[in-house]
Amino acid sequence: MAQIYLIYGDEPQLIEEEKRKFLATYPDLPVVVLDDEAGSQKISEQLCEDSLFGDQKVFCLVNLPIIRKSGKNSDAWTPLYELFTNYKGDNPIVLIYHDMIDKRIKQNKELLDKIPNHQCKRLEGADLVMWIRQYCTSHGFKLLPDAQEYVSHLIDLWKDVPVSFMRTEFDRYFLQITGEKVITKEFLEENSSDYGAKNIFAFKEALLKRDINTLLELFPFMFSYKELDRAMSYIEGQLRLQLFVSECRQAGMSVKAIENLCKDNNSSFKPYPIKLAYEASSRISIKALRALLKGLYEIILDSRSSKGDIWRFRDLCITYCGYKG
């Protein structure tokens, strides 16, 4: 009896990778691709016909309505659903479904219980960063900690970043790097696509360094950014990390002690950004940083209640950069 395998989810790139793995286990068999337009009867007939005459193939069946979106589906697909849940044929079958599956529906749950399956869920945050790191390693490249942290910040600022986009980005990097196969933060700053998150990260870095010239260059972008509230919230979160680390260092704590404190209290702060904040703390005024955070918090609150004057954000940043205490 040949294998039948269901791959589903909302991340097309991961579905494609998983499908290739399945097909690679049958390198000598031709692949037949069919979708719902072929119809339930034709698919059933072709599966049974090939099994009868021993003409073995791999069937890749895409987005068949055997997955229910509600309690009701066309009865025309019921025989095919039953064929798959009791499959004893000789043709390997991979079922592809480009969406999540509602497991609350009885028929869907039964299908998942009876057929080996793999969910390809949209990757976010640390999971997406891990995929990127593994993708670099699989191509012989090393993603340095500063580059990984840079990518992590960009992902925090995006919404619904598809793996396919990150794959295209890093494929381009692999072609650009001709010497040692190492990816650094500096390389990414210079070569990554020019999207909004890149500018927001640069703005945050310039603010912490009190680089007024870079801030003035980026203010027009910030004020035109359609998700300015989200950008300010990200900046506020990074400033809170810096203040926390600076206060801990002032109290005599080592960077390792701060990392352990965060770990023991299940904090979301990670070791590498803590290390960077610790290194930066010697040039940052805690008093000025507290005032900056207080003002930014008030601006965010006012902005969310439609009372805010966004120019206060510009004045607040300029005041921080000019602090002489």
Side-chain angles (χ1 to χ4, degrees):
M1 183 176 68
Q3 183 181 11
I4 182 169
Y5 190 45
L6 168 63
I7 305 170
Y8 70 98
D10 55 5
E11 183 48 77
Q13 180 61 44
L14 297 183
I15 288 177
E16 181 63 23
E17 291 175 7
E18 193 67 20
K19 182 188 80 175
R20 288 176 185 171
K21 289 180 188 176
F22 181 89
L23 296 179
T25 60
Y26 303 97
D28 299 325
L29 296 183
V31 178
V32 176
V33 180
L34 299 169
D35 60 19
D36 61 318
E37 292 186 2
S40 175
Q41 184 174 347
K42 179 180 177 181
I43 294 173
S44 297
E45 288 174 353
Q46 193 157 347
L47 284 169
C48 295
E49 178 182 296
D50 289 333
S51 292
L52 181 64
F53 292 101
D55 187 14
Q56 196 174 22
K57 299 181 179 71
V58 179
F59 282 86
C60 180
L61 307 178
V62 184
N63 295 331
L64 303 185
I66 58 170
I67 308 294
R68 292 181 182 266
K69 296 237 181 229
S70 64
K72 294 183 178 180
N73 260 33
S74 169
D75 291 338
W77 291 91
T78 300
L80 196 59
Y81 166 85
E82 293 174 349
L83 187 153
F84 292 142
T85 54
N86 299 283
Y87 187 67
K88 294 181 174 62
D90 296 323
N91 296 300
I93 299 173
V94 58
L95 301 171
I96 305 294
Y97 188 69
H98 291 98
D99 203 350
M100 300 303 288
I101 294 178
D102 189 345
K103 301 177 179 67
R104 297 170 299 177
I105 297 175
K106 182 180 178 182
Q107 179 171 307
N108 293 346
K109 187 176 184 304
E110 289 177 348
L111 186 70
L112 293 173
D113 287 342
K114 292 183 177 181
I115 295 179
N117 59 84
H118 181 83
Q119 176 179 282
C120 297
K121 188 176 181 180
R122 176 65 58 88
L123 297 182
E124 298 177 347
D127 291 333
L128 182 53
V129 174
M130 182 181 296
W131 182 90
I132 292 168
R133 188 173 68 244
Q134 292 172 343
Y135 190 67
C136 290
T137 301
S138 69
H139 285 76
F141 287 81
K142 182 177 181 181
L143 188 68
L144 294 185
D146 61 350
Q148 181 174 313
E149 182 62 19
Y150 180 75
V151 169
S152 179
H153 280 289
L154 296 185
I155 289 171
D156 283 344
L157 286 162
W158 288 336
K159 283 185 177 179
D160 300 325
V161 189
V163 170
S164 56
F165 173 80
M166 297 310 303
R167 180 183 179 182
T168 301
E169 277 283 278
F170 277 83
D171 284 345
R172 178 166 60 83
Y173 302 154
F174 299 158
L175 293 174
Q176 289 177 273
I177 297 173
T178 56
E180 188 179 3
K181 292 188 172 183
V182 172
I183 301 175
T184 66
K185 173 186 171 184
E186 290 74 22
F187 174 85
L188 294 179
E189 288 175 330
E190 181 69 24
N191 295 284
S192 57
S193 297
D194 190 15
Y195 32 70
K198 183 177 179 179
N199 288 336
I200 295 166
F201 181 85
F203 186 93
K204 183 267 297 184
E205 291 282 280
L207 183 59
L208 283 173
K209 294 175 181 176
R210 294 161 71 175
D211 179 358
I212 187 64
N213 292 327
T214 300
L215 290 178
L216 290 174
E217 289 177 5
L218 289 173
F219 271 124
F221 162 80
M222 293 293 288
F223 288 169
S224 65
Y225 190 58
K226 63 182 180 179
E227 295 183 4
L228 180 58
D229 280 358
R230 191 159 182 255
M232 288 194 297
S233 295
Y234 163 78
I235 292 169
E236 190 258 349
Q238 294 303 304
L239 296 179
R240 278 193 290 106
L241 167 62
Q242 184 62 63
L243 179 60
F244 167 72
V245 172
S246 295
E247 289 178 335
C248 288
R249 181 171 182 172
Q250 186 182 61
M253 295 178 67
S254 67
V255 65
K256 189 63 179 177
I258 299 172
E259 291 174 6
N260 290 336
L261 176 64
C262 292
K263 183 179 180 181
D264 293 343
N265 289 277
N266 297 315
S267 169
S268 60
F269 295 150
K270 304 300 181 186
Y272 190 73
I274 290 173
K275 174 178 176 289
L276 296 181
Y278 193 87
E279 293 170 352
S281 61
S282 61
R283 56 179 168 78
I284 290 176
S285 164
I286 291 178
K287 181 179 178 181
L289 189 54
R290 284 173 179 162
L292 176 61
L293 263 169
K294 181 177 182 296
L296 184 55
Y297 181 69
E298 291 171 352
I299 290 171
I300 291 172
L301 284 181
D302 287 346
S303 176
R304 288 173 180 171
S305 59
S306 301
K307 297 188 300 183
D309 177 3
I310 201 61
W311 288 100
R312 287 170 56 204
F313 177 56
R314 181 179 183 274
D315 295 341
L316 183 69
C317 294
I318 292 175
T319 299
Y320 174 75
C321 289
Y323 180 78
K324 302 298 183 182

